């Protein structure tokens, strides 16, 4: 039987040992008030790597997961959640369970008695430390008990915890994909162009830093500059031709230019 969910969260089981799981487990472990008791992963090597970092037991067998814990955090790929949640809930339904996905509804965990979401909106890498105190967490619970557990976990590492339902969180995650994932891919495309011209990517860092700094002080639409704002066709056509050997990148350039112009003339 699980520990009462009315008690402060202390014993946590992690399902997953990837980038987010690693960073969140380390952050919770560092608080001293949260013990990571077990780490599950499909491969024992991955489970053991994280488990060793936080003093937990490693396993790749769902049947061997602890029967008693204050919470389970499922930090796995979105498409793995439905099957994995069902398998775990079958033997651990009384342990409050939370997933960390931005675009998956909380109800994917409805096999558990108490469930919800603990979504830290940040980009994670195993080898790069992040300051969790600055990361906004968006939480959800199917009842007050689950919400209380989610709040206790998120508040242990972050100063910015907000209750948000699944529908609004999906919108937030979509916006984050544009702001982070797509923006980073643009850096990759810029790096490809520079490499062909034998120039280093870090030559762009001052420009990138100022671009980010500006949107902290003004609306992104007001901060927009470049040939697409005024739709300078001669420049746009010339730069588009420079990408003729890569039709996909060329198409991205043209669509992005059109989108920028459309937003700026609204």
């Amino acid at each position: 039987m699980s520990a009462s969910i009315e008690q402060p969260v202390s014993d946590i089981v992690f399902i997953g040992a990837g980038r987010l799981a690693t960073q969140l487990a380390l952050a919770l472990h560092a608080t001293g008030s949260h013990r990571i008791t077990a780490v599950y992963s499909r491969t024992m090597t991955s489970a053991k790597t994280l488990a060793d970092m936080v003093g937990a037991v490693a396993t790749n067998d769902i049947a061997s997961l602890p029967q008693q814990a204050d919470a389970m955090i499922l930090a796995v790929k979105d498409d793995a959640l439905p099957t994995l949640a069902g398998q775990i809930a079958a033997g651990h339904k009384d342990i409050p369970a939370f997933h960390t996905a931005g675009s998956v509804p909380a109800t994917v965990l409805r096999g558990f008695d108490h469930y919800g979401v603990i979504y830290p909106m940040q980009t994670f890498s195993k080898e790069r430390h992040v300051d969790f105190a600055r990361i906004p967490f968006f939480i959800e619970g199917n009842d007050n008990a689950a919400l209380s557990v989610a709040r206790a976990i998120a508040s242990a590492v972050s100063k910015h915890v907000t209750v948000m339902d699944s529908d609004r969180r999906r919108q937030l995650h979509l916006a984050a994909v544009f702001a982070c994932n797509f923006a980073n891919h643009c850096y990759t495309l810029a790096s490809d162009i520079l490499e062909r011209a034998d120039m280093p990517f870090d030559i762009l860092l001052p420009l990138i830093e100022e671009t980010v700094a500006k949107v902290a002080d003004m609306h992104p639409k007001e901060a927009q500059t470049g040939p697409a704002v005024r739709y300078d066709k001669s420049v746009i056509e010339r730069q588009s031709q420079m990408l003729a050997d890569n039709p996909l990148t060329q198409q991205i350039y043209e669509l992005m230019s059109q989108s920028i112009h459309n937003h700026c003339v609204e």
Side-chain angles (χ1 to χ4, degrees), residues 79-157:
D79 58 5
L81 269 172
T83 300
L84 197 54
Q87 292 172 341
I88 296 172
H92 303 81
K93 68 189 302 289
D94 58 338
I95 298 178
F98 305 89
H99 74 66
T100 59
S103 60
V104 179
T107 52
V108 73
L109 301 177
R110 59 184 173 272
F112 294 88
D113 292 337
H114 307 280
Y115 60 86
V117 178
I118 300 173
Y119 169 52
M121 191 178 66
Q122 185 55 275
T123 177
F124 294 97
S125 299
K126 284 187 179 181
E127 64 282 357
R128 184 174 174 82
H129 172 76
V130 292
D131 181 3
F132 270 84
R134 299 182 59 193
I135 297 175
F137 274 67
F138 299 91
I139 62 172
E140 183 178 2
N142 73 312
D143 56 23
N144 289 336
L147 191 61
S148 177
V149 175
R151 191 187 305 278
I153 294 173
S155 298
V157 293

Side-chain angles (χ1 to χ4, degrees), residues 13-266:
V13 173
F14 263 82
I15 308 300
R19 291 173 294 182
L20 192 160
T22 296
Q23 293 292 341
L24 183 55
L26 288 171
L28 287 168
H29 175 67
T31 67
S33 60
H34 290 71
R35 294 186 299 271
I36 313 303
T37 58
V39 175
Y40 165 87
S41 183
R42 289 179 304 168
T43 65
M44 195 61 180
T45 299
S46 295
K48 192 172 187 310
T49 297
L50 177 53
D52 287 349
M53 292 178 176
V54 295
V57 174
T59 182
N60 61 352
D61 179 16
I62 290 175
S64 69
L65 288 171
Q67 291 298 311
Q68 184 173 0
D70 293 289
M72 282 190 174
I73 296 179
L74 286 75
V76 297
K77 292 181 179 179
D78 292 7
D79 58 5
L81 269 172
T83 300
L84 197 54
Q87 292 172 341
I88 296 172
H92 303 81
K93 68 189 302 289
D94 58 338
I95 298 178
F98 305 89
H99 74 66
T100 59
S103 60
V104 179
T107 52
V108 73
L109 301 177
R110 59 184 173 272
F112 294 88
D113 292 337
H114 307 280
Y115 60 86
V117 178
I118 300 173
Y119 169 52
M121 191 178 66
Q122 185 55 275
T123 177
F124 294 97
S125 299
K126 284 187 179 181
E127 64 282 357
R128 184 174 174 82
H129 172 76
V130 292
D131 181 3
F132 270 84
R134 299 182 59 193
I135 297 175
F137 274 67
F138 299 91
I139 62 172
E140 183 178 2
N142 73 312
D143 56 23
N144 289 336
L147 191 61
S148 177
V149 175
R151 191 187 305 278
I153 294 173
S155 298
V157 293
S158 174
K159 298 178 180 178
H160 310 281
V161 179
T162 302
V163 177
M164 181 177 287
D165 64 32
S166 292
D167 289 338
R168 286 173 59 79
R169 193 180 66 258
R170 281 198 294 262
Q171 294 294 326
L172 176 64
H173 186 258
L174 175 59
V177 167
F178 273 89
C180 175
N181 306 135
F182 288 0
N184 190 74
H185 183 61
C186 285
Y187 298 155
T188 300
L189 297 181
S191 179
D192 291 343
I193 293 169
L194 289 172
E195 284 178 7
R196 289 199 299 269
D198 195 26
M199 288 185 280
F201 178 74
D202 61 13
I203 199 172
L204 292 179
L205 292 181
L207 175 64
I208 293 171
E209 291 168 0
E210 175 59 16
T211 302
V212 173
K214 278 204 300 185
V215 296
D217 296 328
M218 63 180 73
H219 191 281
K221 183 175 177 180
E222 297 173 354
Q224 189 70 57
T225 60
V229 172
R230 58 188 179 276
Y231 213 67
D232 190 328
K233 289 187 177 181
S234 62
V235 174
I236 292 172
E237 289 175 2
R238 185 162 61 249
Q239 291 186 336
S240 177
Q241 281 303 116
M242 293 171 66
L243 299 168
D245 61 335
N246 191 326
L248 180 57
T249 301
Q250 184 182 51
Q251 185 178 20
I252 291 171
Y253 174 88
E254 292 174 352
L255 288 173
M256 190 76 79
S257 295
Q258 185 63 60
S259 181
I260 290 171
H261 181 66
N262 289 349
H263 274 75
C264 289
V265 298
E266 286 177 353

